[in-house]
Amino acid sequence: PRPPRRAVFASLFADLRLLRAADAFVGTSASWTSRLALLAITGETGALPPFELLDKPLGQLWFA
């Protein structure tokens, strides 16, 4: 059976709350979850953290 939507979103938001305190980030630019995590870290610190995207460079997907 599929998990309830409420539980899925609660888990996502819990992960983002933890990730926003990270000092660096490794993810993929194709993943919206990775993008949200990077934006959450940036919003928390006020600066873009050191990050590595394992697929394409950020600009090739976001601004293409």
Side-chain angles (χ1 to χ4, degrees), residues 21-61:
D23 295 324
F25 182 75
V26 176
T28 61
S29 58
S31 165
W32 281 103
T33 305
S34 289
R35 293 180 189 195
L36 282 173
L38 186 57
L39 289 172
I41 296 168
T42 302
E44 188 69 21
T45 62
L48 191 63
F51 69 93
E52 185 65 38
L53 300 173
L54 301 175
D55 48 5
K56 292 185 177 183
L58 191 61
Q60 287 185 10
L61 288 178

Side-chain angles (χ1 to χ4, degrees), residues 4-32:
R5 285 185 179 172
R6 185 173 292 180
V8 171
F9 281 109
S11 176
L12 172 64
F13 290 129
D15 289 343
L16 289 174
R17 285 186 69 192
L18 288 173
L19 283 168
R20 70 182 185 188
D23 295 324
F25 182 75
V26 176
T28 61
S29 58
S31 165
W32 281 103

